[in-house]
Amino acid sequence: MPVTVRTFASTGEAAAALSSDRGARYLGGGTLVMRALNEGDISISTIVRAHDHALTRVDATGSRVTIGAGVTFARILAERDLAFLHAAARSIGGPAVRNMGTVGGNLFASNPYGDFAVALLALDAVVSVQGGLGSRDVPIEEFLQTRERQTGTLALAVSFQKPASADAFRYRKIARIKPKGGSVITLAAHLPISSGRILSARIALGSMAATPIRARAAERALEGRTLDATTISAAAAAAVEGTSPADNALASGWYRREIVGVHLRRLLSGQE
Amino acid sequence: MLELRKDIFADERDDNLKEIGKGTQRQDMLGHVTGTSTYFDDHKLQGMLHLKVVRSTHPHARLRRIDTSDAERSAGVRRIIRGSDVPRNLNTLLSLINFGKDDEPSLAVDKVRYKGEPIVAIVADSPREAYEAMAKVRIDYEPLPAVFDVEDALKPGAPVVNETYPKNAFIYHDVYDHQKLRFGDVERGLAAADHVLEQRYQMSPIEHAPTETNGSIAAPDTNGRYIVYTSTQALFFSLDTCAKILDVPSNTFHFIGGTVGGGFGGKVDTLTEPLAILGATLTGRPVRYVLGREEEMQFGSPRGAERIYIKDGVMRDGRIVARKIRALFDSGAYTRLSSYAAVKCAAHLPGPYTIPNVHGDVYCVFTNRTPATAMRGFGVTAMDFAIECQMDKLAHLVGMDPMEFRILNAYRDGDMKAHRREAKNCALIECVQVAAEKAKWPIREEFKRASSRKDGGGSRAAISPTPRESYAPATAPSQQRTTYDRAPAAAREPPPPPPPPPPRPQAPSHGAARFSSVFGTRRR
Amino acid sequence: MAKTALQFRHNGRDVAIFVDGGTNLLAALRELIGDMTPKFGCGQGGCGACSVLIDGELHLSCLTLAETVAGRSVETLDSLKDGPNLHPLQRAFADNFAAQCGYCTPGMLMAAKALLDRNPQPSRTEVIEAISGNICRCTGYEPIINAVLAAASGGRARA
């Protein structure tokens, strides 16, 4: 059975087509779905596309940022208002992949990919999804944890509060190949500071579990404290807690557990 | 960038180099930069079919039942190929030079020995239809205990990986389960040494990862011949291998290749051609069989893993007096070229150093891993890694500079090598001197003055008394037949030739001259 | 078998083909149009051998659904030469020995062209970044980087 391609003008129609067909996948930039087809994934029988302009909209002028799911990483890099996300966008693929890959697709990218989702998790983003029954907002953590069951839903956009300062959001990807390579581990931290103290810290880790996860113990070590050497040491020591990294060709789970604290320390202390 | 040091050994040659040291344009460069160099996959043939292979999901398992009935009825399927369709479904690559026993099927029949081993080939109108049919092939596996470690594989009671070699070691000349080098008395040397250092080294398999994956397109030509466009690095080697497996004269095939998208040794195994040709034979249509990237990684052979133990005896003044090496090559489930790698390794011992007592044992071991093959200096690379790590450690142990330590122990003209050949045209000392100079690494004056042409020979040319060892005669039968051997086709073809006798060094065949070290014959 | 009609500009020329659902642009270019310059290397977006320009932007043709280029302009290495004359990038690649097996070369050249079209005088770091999605397994990155830089400065000299 050849694959059927269905193209719709609105996301509503596309979502309906997705939810009514188990073999349907939404085609964003192609880096996941076309790869699966190239590798002989016959579970995909229908490709769904949508031409809705809302999918490629970026609203970053105010304090709340909304990025359409169809926005590419090249586009993120072209948006001055999204400078805090440039390190994360630049860490993905080479130029061609960044011209193709989308923010929405990255939410579905499994290890060792999906670095942008790590950044979004640290930003406490909300994912707007459209299912067969209408649209709703899902916290990104819940979205990621249930994404295996989300193939029938269409991600429309992500939105989050813009970090108050350039220093409040930090990102670091450890790869063996530079400047391009799959993630050994990926770290992102959002550290809102109020009166010198960290409030609502968010530490997100990629490749430390099946999906990006929050390092809650490290977050607790930071909460309400000043970002000094003692706090950083406590957070670094707690980084590995609750993680379950797997072995893959890039690194062993053991190695990931060994280095996650080291890199969290460097991230928090602003070391290169 | 390029610098020719013509001052070194200047009196040994006329300084009349015309090409060396000058850039010469590649003859294929214009094709490369315009994209018109023709690789095997750049041929568009009318009515071409696509071949995909169902591979083992187990590293070691008995195949209880293979059911292809649903797959045969799947849309677009032109032909299902099973092991029984392959005329001679057992081969070993170096059988073309009478080396080793046939041990590897094109399609597994009663057992699989590594994850990714081909079991069933599907020829269909499109890749998608081939994939759909693949999902309908039902294979009933009975998993068997697997062995992934070379030392575990040699232990008594280890799972037998490949029944052709029941002890999990390649058998040389029907007798020896390893390559042996003996020179002097290593135990006495070790006993007399000021320091003894024993270390273990391990190198993992390395995938060639050519940008162009392995593949071929076979098309029926007129007069019953077949045109084969192939990625092979070894055109006539692949052609002859196909002729053997498909049991036809080699002039049945017209192989076209030579423009290869990266090989590095990983395209000598004839991985795709036999099935592509068989597909073309059975369907009468052009058939394309190209590995995907994951297949290239899983099924395309890598450089084999190696485990190496080195035990050295060294004197306080830095002279190495004994070197004992035990090396185990992980051949994976089948021989391919690892038997030859072990020979090369043994020939390389003990590295480029004059050591009076050398003892080497090199094994080619079978495990349930992807079969290994050639790759850039295979057989030597890992051993050099181990030896040079060891040299640094020894230098540290005796408190010597590592560069000076190498100069002290390097072969010099007139020295006796462990293979009982006189060392000639040595140049390691000069290489180390230049490397030290380039790296601005200080070495002492006496080492700057050392020369490969001075102070060699004499006592360094002596062959120390070498104790004789007894060995147990081989227990393996000289040519074991397995269930894969098809009964000779009675009428059409003469029976396959009997197993060749063990090669005689004094009369190497044509092929033997190119692989002379396999037979221990002297190169001219 | 349902096929979809597809029209686009291929190296400055209008083409029309019929594709099966799910066909990627690489297969469409190679098998239906006969442009063999883009190569298959991995099908995963890892090697860049299939790189082409779509409306001037670098894309991986193996991960591009063919239908998505309808009405757009696709450029491959086959467009680079001006009649019998090599493009400055092609000349620089040849002069700098920037090809060994040649299999990555079509993708490398398109990645380099995408860079120079946008940034005619790139720094070495920018060149490295621009070809970071293209793997040369013969490990000839240095001559490739040198070739792109030479083409950039050569272009300036002529301008």
mmCIF file with all atom_site columns, all heavy atoms in Angstrom, chain B residues 474-487:
data_model
loop_
_atom_site.group_PDB
_atom_site.id
_atom_site.type_symbol
_atom_site.label_atom_id
_atom_site.label_alt_id
_atom_site.label_comp_id
_atom_site.label_asym_id
_atom_site.label_entity_id
_atom_site.label_seq_id
_atom_site.pdbx_PDB_ins_code
_atom_site.Cartn_x
_atom_site.Cartn_y
_atom_site.Cartn_z
_atom_site.occupancy
_atom_site.B_iso_or_equiv
_atom_site.pdbx_formal_charge
_atom_site.auth_seq_id
_atom_site.auth_comp_id
_atom_site.auth_asym_id
_atom_site.auth_atom_id
_atom_site.pdbx_PDB_model_num
ATOM 1   N N   . ALA B 1 474 ? 45.896 -31.398 15.587 1.00 0.00 ? 474 ALA B N   1
ATOM 2   C CA  . ALA B 1 474 ? 44.537 -30.882 15.471 1.00 0.00 ? 474 ALA B CA  1
ATOM 3   C C   . ALA B 1 474 ? 43.515 -31.978 15.669 1.00 0.00 ? 474 ALA B C   1
ATOM 4   O O   . ALA B 1 474 ? 43.730 -33.112 15.273 1.00 0.00 ? 474 ALA B O   1
ATOM 5   C CB  . ALA B 1 474 ? 44.341 -30.256 14.102 1.00 0.00 ? 474 ALA B CB  1
ATOM 6   N N   . THR B 1 475 ? 42.433 -31.613 16.293 1.00 0.00 ? 475 THR B N   1
ATOM 7   C CA  . THR B 1 475 ? 41.350 -32.574 16.455 1.00 0.00 ? 475 THR B CA  1
ATOM 8   C C   . THR B 1 475 ? 40.254 -32.320 15.424 1.00 0.00 ? 475 THR B C   1
ATOM 9   O O   . THR B 1 475 ? 39.428 -33.165 15.168 1.00 0.00 ? 475 THR B O   1
ATOM 10  C CB  . THR B 1 475 ? 40.750 -32.469 17.863 1.00 0.00 ? 475 THR B CB  1
ATOM 11  O OG1 . THR B 1 475 ? 40.508 -31.090 18.127 1.00 0.00 ? 475 THR B OG1 1
ATOM 12  C CG2 . THR B 1 475 ? 41.701 -33.036 18.895 1.00 0.00 ? 475 THR B CG2 1
ATOM 13  N N   . ALA B 1 476 ? 40.272 -31.128 14.830 1.00 0.00 ? 476 ALA B N   1
ATOM 14  C CA  . ALA B 1 476 ? 39.217 -30.806 13.874 1.00 0.00 ? 476 ALA B CA  1
ATOM 15  C C   . ALA B 1 476 ? 39.431 -31.578 12.581 1.00 0.00 ? 476 ALA B C   1
ATOM 16  O O   . ALA B 1 476 ? 40.551 -31.740 12.133 1.00 0.00 ? 476 ALA B O   1
ATOM 17  C CB  . ALA B 1 476 ? 39.235 -29.314 13.581 1.00 0.00 ? 476 ALA B CB  1
ATOM 18  N N   . PRO B 1 477 ? 38.374 -32.105 11.999 1.00 0.00 ? 477 PRO B N   1
ATOM 19  C CA  . PRO B 1 477 ? 38.517 -32.768 10.707 1.00 0.00 ? 477 PRO B CA  1
ATOM 20  C C   . PRO B 1 477 ? 38.949 -31.750 9.654  1.00 0.00 ? 477 PRO B C   1
ATOM 21  O O   . PRO B 1 477 ? 38.679 -30.571 9.779  1.00 0.00 ? 477 PRO B O   1
ATOM 22  C CB  . PRO B 1 477 ? 37.115 -33.303 10.412 1.00 0.00 ? 477 PRO B CB  1
ATOM 23  C CG  . PRO B 1 477 ? 36.198 -32.495 11.263 1.00 0.00 ? 477 PRO B CG  1
ATOM 24  C CD  . PRO B 1 477 ? 36.992 -32.057 12.448 1.00 0.00 ? 477 PRO B CD  1
ATOM 25  N N   . SER B 1 478 ? 39.630 -32.259 8.631  1.00 0.00 ? 478 SER B N   1
ATOM 26  C CA  . SER B 1 478 ? 40.242 -31.321 7.697  1.00 0.00 ? 478 SER B CA  1
ATOM 27  C C   . SER B 1 478 ? 39.187 -30.515 6.944  1.00 0.00 ? 478 SER B C   1
ATOM 28  O O   . SER B 1 478 ? 39.378 -29.356 6.687  1.00 0.00 ? 478 SER B O   1
ATOM 29  C CB  . SER B 1 478 ? 41.119 -32.077 6.714  1.00 0.00 ? 478 SER B CB  1
ATOM 30  O OG  . SER B 1 478 ? 40.315 -32.911 5.915  1.00 0.00 ? 478 SER B OG  1
ATOM 31  N N   . GLN B 1 479 ? 38.096 -31.099 6.569  1.00 0.00 ? 479 GLN B N   1
ATOM 32  C CA  . GLN B 1 479 ? 37.053 -30.304 5.913  1.00 0.00 ? 479 GLN B CA  1
ATOM 33  C C   . GLN B 1 479 ? 35.714 -30.817 6.408  1.00 0.00 ? 479 GLN B C   1
ATOM 34  O O   . GLN B 1 479 ? 35.246 -31.871 6.021  1.00 0.00 ? 479 GLN B O   1
ATOM 35  C CB  . GLN B 1 479 ? 37.141 -30.413 4.384  1.00 0.00 ? 479 GLN B CB  1
ATOM 36  C CG  . GLN B 1 479 ? 36.058 -29.641 3.653  1.00 0.00 ? 479 GLN B CG  1
ATOM 37  C CD  . GLN B 1 479 ? 36.391 -28.155 3.532  1.00 0.00 ? 479 GLN B CD  1
ATOM 38  O OE1 . GLN B 1 479 ? 37.422 -27.702 3.980  1.00 0.00 ? 479 GLN B OE1 1
ATOM 39  N NE2 . GLN B 1 479 ? 35.483 -27.393 2.949  1.00 0.00 ? 479 GLN B NE2 1
ATOM 40  N N   . GLN B 1 480 ? 35.137 -30.054 7.263  1.00 0.00 ? 480 GLN B N   1
ATOM 41  C CA  . GLN B 1 480 ? 33.874 -30.488 7.850  1.00 0.00 ? 480 GLN B CA  1
ATOM 42  C C   . GLN B 1 480 ? 32.730 -30.096 6.940  1.00 0.00 ? 480 GLN B C   1
ATOM 43  O O   . GLN B 1 480 ? 32.604 -28.950 6.535  1.00 0.00 ? 480 GLN B O   1
ATOM 44  C CB  . GLN B 1 480 ? 33.709 -29.818 9.201  1.00 0.00 ? 480 GLN B CB  1
ATOM 45  C CG  . GLN B 1 480 ? 32.480 -30.294 9.927  1.00 0.00 ? 480 GLN B CG  1
ATOM 46  C CD  . GLN B 1 480 ? 32.493 -29.729 11.323 1.00 0.00 ? 480 GLN B CD  1
ATOM 47  O OE1 . GLN B 1 480 ? 33.539 -29.532 11.915 1.00 0.00 ? 480 GLN B OE1 1
ATOM 48  N NE2 . GLN B 1 480 ? 31.319 -29.459 11.848 1.00 0.00 ? 480 GLN B NE2 1
ATOM 49  N N   . ARG B 1 481 ? 31.905 -31.032 6.608  1.00 0.00 ? 481 ARG B N   1
ATOM 50  C CA  . ARG B 1 481 ? 30.743 -30.699 5.793  1.00 0.00 ? 481 ARG B CA  1
ATOM 51  C C   . ARG B 1 481 ? 29.593 -30.381 6.738  1.00 0.00 ? 481 ARG B C   1
ATOM 52  O O   . ARG B 1 481 ? 29.438 -30.990 7.772  1.00 0.00 ? 481 ARG B O   1
ATOM 53  C CB  . ARG B 1 481 ? 30.376 -31.857 4.873  1.00 0.00 ? 481 ARG B CB  1
ATOM 54  C CG  . ARG B 1 481 ? 31.480 -32.191 3.893  1.00 0.00 ? 481 ARG B CG  1
ATOM 55  C CD  . ARG B 1 481 ? 30.997 -33.120 2.824  1.00 0.00 ? 481 ARG B CD  1
ATOM 56  N NE  . ARG B 1 481 ? 30.102 -32.455 1.889  1.00 0.00 ? 481 ARG B NE  1
ATOM 57  C CZ  . ARG B 1 481 ? 30.514 -31.726 0.863  1.00 0.00 ? 481 ARG B CZ  1
ATOM 58  N NH1 . ARG B 1 481 ? 31.795 -31.543 0.663  1.00 0.00 ? 481 ARG B NH1 1
ATOM 59  N NH2 . ARG B 1 481 ? 29.655 -31.169 0.045  1.00 0.00 ? 481 ARG B NH2 1
ATOM 60  N N   . THR B 1 482 ? 28.806 -29.414 6.383  1.00 0.00 ? 482 THR B N   1
ATOM 61  C CA  . THR B 1 482 ? 27.680 -29.071 7.240  1.00 0.00 ? 482 THR B CA  1
ATOM 62  C C   . THR B 1 482 ? 26.410 -29.255 6.451  1.00 0.00 ? 482 THR B C   1
ATOM 63  O O   . THR B 1 482 ? 26.425 -29.582 5.260  1.00 0.00 ? 482 THR B O   1
ATOM 64  C CB  . THR B 1 482 ? 27.750 -27.611 7.714  1.00 0.00 ? 482 THR B CB  1
ATOM 65  O OG1 . THR B 1 482 ? 27.315 -26.788 6.650  1.00 0.00 ? 482 THR B OG1 1
ATOM 66  C CG2 . THR B 1 482 ? 29.135 -27.234 8.144  1.00 0.00 ? 482 THR B CG2 1
ATOM 67  N N   . THR B 1 483 ? 25.318 -29.048 7.125  1.00 0.00 ? 483 THR B N   1
ATOM 68  C CA  . THR B 1 483 ? 24.017 -29.211 6.470  1.00 0.00 ? 483 THR B CA  1
ATOM 69  C C   . THR B 1 483 ? 23.827 -28.230 5.331  1.00 0.00 ? 483 THR B C   1
ATOM 70  O O   . THR B 1 483 ? 22.938 -28.388 4.517  1.00 0.00 ? 483 THR B O   1
ATOM 71  C CB  . THR B 1 483 ? 22.896 -28.990 7.487  1.00 0.00 ? 483 THR B CB  1
ATOM 72  O OG1 . THR B 1 483 ? 23.155 -27.748 8.140  1.00 0.00 ? 483 THR B OG1 1
ATOM 73  C CG2 . THR B 1 483 ? 22.833 -30.100 8.498  1.00 0.00 ? 483 THR B CG2 1
ATOM 74  N N   . TYR B 1 484 ? 24.656 -27.192 5.293  1.00 0.00 ? 484 TYR B N   1
ATOM 75  C CA  . TYR B 1 484 ? 24.471 -26.206 4.231  1.00 0.00 ? 484 TYR B CA  1
ATOM 76  C C   . TYR B 1 484 ? 24.942 -26.714 2.884  1.00 0.00 ? 484 TYR B C   1
ATOM 77  O O   . TYR B 1 484 ? 24.523 -26.239 1.858  1.00 0.00 ? 484 TYR B O   1
ATOM 78  C CB  . TYR B 1 484 ? 25.245 -24.925 4.558  1.00 0.00 ? 484 TYR B CB  1
ATOM 79  C CG  . TYR B 1 484 ? 24.724 -24.247 5.773  1.00 0.00 ? 484 TYR B CG  1
ATOM 80  C CD1 . TYR B 1 484 ? 25.560 -23.947 6.822  1.00 0.00 ? 484 TYR B CD1 1
ATOM 81  C CD2 . TYR B 1 484 ? 23.373 -23.936 5.876  1.00 0.00 ? 484 TYR B CD2 1
ATOM 82  C CE1 . TYR B 1 484 ? 25.074 -23.325 7.944  1.00 0.00 ? 484 TYR B CE1 1
ATOM 83  C CE2 . TYR B 1 484 ? 22.890 -23.316 6.998  1.00 0.00 ? 484 TYR B CE2 1
ATOM 84  C CZ  . TYR B 1 484 ? 23.738 -23.017 8.028  1.00 0.00 ? 484 TYR B CZ  1
ATOM 85  O OH  . TYR B 1 484 ? 23.267 -22.403 9.138  1.00 0.00 ? 484 TYR B OH  1
ATOM 86  N N   . ASP B 1 485 ? 25.870 -27.632 2.916  1.00 0.00 ? 485 ASP B N   1
ATOM 87  C CA  . ASP B 1 485 ? 26.416 -28.095 1.646  1.00 0.00 ? 485 ASP B CA  1
ATOM 88  C C   . ASP B 1 485 ? 25.344 -28.801 0.850  1.00 0.00 ? 485 ASP B C   1
ATOM 89  O O   . ASP B 1 485 ? 24.831 -29.837 1.246  1.00 0.00 ? 485 ASP B O   1
ATOM 90  C CB  . ASP B 1 485 ? 27.593 -29.049 1.894  1.00 0.00 ? 485 ASP B CB  1
ATOM 91  C CG  . ASP B 1 485 ? 28.858 -28.262 2.166  1.00 0.00 ? 485 ASP B CG  1
ATOM 92  O OD1 . ASP B 1 485 ? 28.942 -27.113 1.699  1.00 0.00 ? 485 ASP B OD1 1
ATOM 93  O OD2 . ASP B 1 485 ? 29.741 -28.806 2.846  1.00 0.00 ? 485 ASP B OD2 1
ATOM 94  N N   . ARG B 1 486 ? 25.024 -28.218 -0.274 1.00 0.00 ? 486 ARG B N   1
ATOM 95  C CA  . ARG B 1 486 ? 24.011 -28.803 -1.121 1.00 0.00 ? 486 ARG B CA  1
ATOM 96  C C   . ARG B 1 486 ? 24.622 -30.003 -1.828 1.00 0.00 ? 486 ARG B C   1
ATOM 97  O O   . ARG B 1 486 ? 25.799 -30.019 -2.167 1.00 0.00 ? 486 ARG B O   1
ATOM 98  C CB  . ARG B 1 486 ? 23.563 -27.779 -2.161 1.00 0.00 ? 486 ARG B CB  1
ATOM 99  C CG  . ARG B 1 486 ? 22.094 -27.825 -2.461 1.00 0.00 ? 486 ARG B CG  1
ATOM 100 C CD  . ARG B 1 486 ? 21.748 -26.633 -3.316 1.00 0.00 ? 486 ARG B CD  1
ATOM 101 N NE  . ARG B 1 486 ? 22.393 -26.763 -4.617 1.00 0.00 ? 486 ARG B NE  1
ATOM 102 C CZ  . ARG B 1 486 ? 21.769 -26.492 -5.748 1.00 0.00 ? 486 ARG B CZ  1
ATOM 103 N NH1 . ARG B 1 486 ? 20.518 -26.105 -5.731 1.00 0.00 ? 486 ARG B NH1 1
ATOM 104 N NH2 . ARG B 1 486 ? 22.382 -26.598 -6.892 1.00 0.00 ? 486 ARG B NH2 1
ATOM 105 N N   . ALA B 1 487 ? 23.804 -31.021 -2.073 1.00 0.00 ? 487 ALA B N   1
ATOM 106 C CA  . ALA B 1 487 ? 24.291 -32.146 -2.842 1.00 0.00 ? 487 ALA B CA  1
ATOM 107 C C   . ALA B 1 487 ? 24.662 -31.637 -4.236 1.00 0.00 ? 487 ALA B C   1
ATOM 108 O O   . ALA B 1 487 ? 23.991 -30.767 -4.780 1.00 0.00 ? 487 ALA B O   1
ATOM 109 C CB  . ALA B 1 487 ? 23.199 -33.208 -2.935 1.00 0.00 ? 487 ALA B CB  1
#
